[in-house]
């Protein structure tokens, strides 16, 4: 009778340990994700054209979309801003570790952006439903005094 209780207790202990280990490793993975965007990526990055595209990153936000400067004020067009989070939900993103090709993943609801900074240029891949929607890297540059330059106020 005593052996039966010992086997039952050992069986319960084994079952609990099998459940506890995967749960604790998931928590460790979530905690290993960054809580802020690295300094090298912060700021506004522009792809100047008639309708300019901009990527803006702060310590805890990621903004992607079009727009233009008018009288030194940014006029957004189809722009979306996401807040940094540990889990992707509507309006949030997660910042992943650098992969083998040097890109960080920015996971948002409905897709992924891959971003890489190299010598003052930001390279962006935009993935939706597993496909690169542009077929190539988008390139963005930081422009000193962008509000003045892109408004046409500085010659």
């Amino acid at each position: 009778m005593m052996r039966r209780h010992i086997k039952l207790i050992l069986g319960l202990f084994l079952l609990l340990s099998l459940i506890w280990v995967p749960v604790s490793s998931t928590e460790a993975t979530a905690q290993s994700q960054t809580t802020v965007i690295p300094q090298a990526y912060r700021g506004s990055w522009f792809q100047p054209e008639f309708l300019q595209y901009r990527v803006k990153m702060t310590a805890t936000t990621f903004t992607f979309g079009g727009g233009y400067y008018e009288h030194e004020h940014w006029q957004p067009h189809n722009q979306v801003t996401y807040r940094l989070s540990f889990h992707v939900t509507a309006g949030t993103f997660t910042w992943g570790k650098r992969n083998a090709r040097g890109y960080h993943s920015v996971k948002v609801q409905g897709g992924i952006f891959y971003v890489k900074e190299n010598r003052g240029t930001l390279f962006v891949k935009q993935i939706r439903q597993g496909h690169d929607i542009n077929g190539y890297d988008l390139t963005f540059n930081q422009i000193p005094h962008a509000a003045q330059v892109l408004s046409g106020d500085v010659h």
Side-chain angles (χ1 to χ4, degrees):
M1 189 74 148
M2 186 67 154
R3 280 190 164 181
R4 185 177 272 175
H5 287 306
I6 292 173
K7 285 183 181 181
L8 184 60
I9 290 171
L10 285 175
L12 284 172
F13 178 73
L14 181 62
L15 181 64
L16 287 174
S17 66
L18 288 174
I19 293 171
W20 180 75
V21 169
V23 169
S24 65
S25 67
T26 302
E27 288 175 7
T29 302
Q31 290 174 351
S32 67
Q33 289 179 335
T34 185
T35 55
V36 295
I37 293 176
Q39 189 70 35
Y41 290 87
R42 296 183 199 173
S44 292
W45 302 81
F46 296 92
Q47 186 183 40
E49 294 172 0
F50 177 69
L51 176 66
Q52 298 152 356
Y53 282 88
R54 176 180 80 161
V55 173
K56 181 178 179 184
M57 291 184 258
T58 66
T60 59
T61 63
F62 176 81
T63 302
F64 182 85
Y68 57 93
Y69 274 105
E70 184 174 73
H71 304 295
E72 298 188 24
H73 289 82
W74 180 252
Q75 307 297 321
H77 179 74
N78 291 332
Q79 178 177 290
V80 181
T81 298
Y82 303 95
R83 298 245 173 244
L84 185 62
S85 177
F86 285 109
H87 305 286
V88 176
T89 59
T92 67
F93 74 97
T94 60
W95 180 267
K97 291 183 179 182
R98 185 176 306 170
N99 67 17
R101 297 191 66 203
Y103 288 88
H104 289 274
S105 63
V106 177
K107 293 182 183 178
V108 299
Q109 200 168 39
I112 301 174
F113 293 91
Y114 288 102
V115 297
K116 173 172 69 170
E117 187 275 335
N118 187 9
R119 298 184 202 163
T121 301
L122 183 71
F123 298 94
V124 178
K125 291 182 181 213
Q126 193 176 7
I127 310 295
R128 283 201 190 129
Q129 298 175 348
H131 300 288
D132 186 345
I133 64 172
N134 299 306
Y136 54 89
D137 285 3
L138 301 173
T139 58
F140 295 82
N141 297 307
Q142 287 187 322
I143 301 173
H145 312 290
Q148 293 175 340
V149 172
L150 297 175
S151 291
D153 298 340
V154 171
H155 305 291

